[in-house]
Amino acid sequence: MSNPSAYSKNIRAAFSYCVQQVRSYDYHHYLCLLQLLPDMRKAAFVLRAFNVETARAMDVASDPNTGLMRLLWWQDTIDKLFAKKKVEHPVAQALSSVISDYKISKHWLKRSVDARIKDASREGVIPETIADLEQYAEDTASTMLYMTLQAGGIRSTNVDHAASHIGKASGLLLLLKSLPYHGSRQGRIEYIPADVASRHGLLTTSNGGPEIKIESSEALPDAVFEVASVASLHLQKARELAPTIPPEALLVLLPAVPAQVLLDTLRQRNFNVFDSRISRGIHGISPLWYLLKLKWHAWRKTY
């Protein structure tokens, strides 16, 4: 390296950018990551920033093809980073450092992007079953927890099982919360599975494929409740594993707290995702109250 000080300065700027991205676009997880031990926190912020980049790719793009191209760029970037090639992007630069320092698995990074590419390529085709949604949540949310645990050198089958359940719960609930946003952008409801929609009389056929009738809003909360109940079961299973979780892993599993907060808010609003109060503060509660809940769980070593 011709100028080590310049390189060090660039890396610090890249890490700072990652923290700001998470703070701006994933605030409930930003507050979770602040509870982590410093050595794990650095990697966790970079991994979450990578998730922000891929999660927002379709939303910030001017058209779906541009968003898909961005995701394909990230897929290619992961290959380059593991081949020790330089990529001029702050998150990619920070990710390269974290991959090197913490031996992060390429498999999890690729799985996350591949899932988002598959989702972006659906072109309005709704998922067939809740299991399909759970798999998407596993691939995009649980993987973040797996990699954070990996960065902390934590290896435990029970921790992995708990992380899987928490990721699935978090992913499912965030998809439910996003229904109004995606509905307003695309003019359709995309993240209620066809089998659930059919049970609640929400399914119709349009353009040769199944669609969900937005106008049947009185039946939508029942479908939301069914998906939320699956998320609730995942949180319950994760907490049943708590006695077997090593102490150093407990703080990594704190994202169970915002998932529970969102579930409670949905329940209070009778699972009407179009109730604007769900988006107030952090998942419907004040930021201060949310932070107190996080601190309480971190202090008690619970999730």
Side-chain angles (χ1 to χ4, degrees), residues 71-257:
L71 289 170
L72 291 169
W73 181 85
W74 273 109
Q75 190 181 48
D76 184 52
T77 292
I78 292 167
D79 288 330
K80 287 180 178 176
L81 296 181
F82 277 87
K84 309 289 186 189
K85 294 179 181 176
K86 191 175 181 181
V87 179
E88 292 294 339
H89 185 287
V91 175
Q93 289 172 335
L95 190 58
S96 176
S97 174
V98 164
I99 288 167
S100 175
D101 292 347
Y102 296 92
K103 305 296 181 281
I104 299 299
S105 167
K106 182 180 181 180
H107 167 70
W108 297 129
L109 289 166
K110 293 282 277 191
R111 188 169 159 185
S112 172
V113 180
D114 288 349
R116 295 203 186 277
I117 290 171
K118 182 181 176 183
D119 183 58
S121 304
R122 285 191 297 115
E123 295 183 343
V125 178
I126 62 175
E128 289 186 12
T129 66
I130 286 188
D132 293 331
L133 273 190
E134 287 176 287
Q135 188 61 57
Y136 179 65
E138 164 80 17
D139 292 342
T140 55
S142 301
T143 50
M144 292 301 116
L145 298 177
Y146 296 151
M147 289 188 285
T148 306
L149 290 165
Q150 194 173 43
I154 300 165
R155 295 185 180 182
S156 158
T157 302
N158 285 339
V159 173
D160 287 345
H161 283 318
S164 175
H165 286 303
I166 291 168
K168 285 176 181 174
S170 178
L172 288 174
L173 292 165
L174 288 171
L175 286 174
L176 291 176
K177 186 186 180 186
S178 75
L179 288 177
Y181 171 76
H182 290 294
S184 66
R185 270 176 65 94
Q186 295 148 358
R188 57 181 179 263
I189 299 288
E190 287 203 347
Y191 293 110
I192 295 291
D195 61 345
V196 174
S198 179
R199 279 194 288 275
H200 298 285
L202 287 167
L203 210 58
T204 185
T205 302
S206 178
N207 300 320
E211 265 193 18
I212 292 170
K213 293 181 282 190
I214 298 180
E215 62 270 15
S216 302
S217 56
E218 67 277 359
L220 186 59
D222 294 333
V224 170
F225 169 75
E226 187 171 337
V227 177
S229 295
V230 174
S232 180
L233 194 58
H234 280 300
L235 287 175
Q236 182 183 325
K237 287 177 179 176
R239 292 195 182 105
E240 286 169 1
L241 289 164
T244 69
I245 302 299
E248 63 271 20
L250 290 167
L251 293 177
V252 180
L253 303 181
L254 274 180
V257 177

Side-chain angles (χ1 to χ4, degrees), residues 8-19 46 49 89-95:
S8 177
K9 185 178 179 181
N10 286 341
I11 285 294
R12 282 200 304 273
F15 277 115
S16 178
Y17 177 84
C18 289
V19 173
V46 174
H89 185 287
V91 175
Q93 289 172 335
L95 190 58

Side-chain angles (χ1 to χ4, degrees), residues 261 263-271 275 277 284-285:
V261 168
L263 179 62
D264 291 343
T265 295
L266 285 169
R267 189 178 289 121
Q268 288 164 9
R269 304 305 169 204
N270 297 312
F271 299 95
D275 189 325
R277 290 174 290 185
I285 66 173

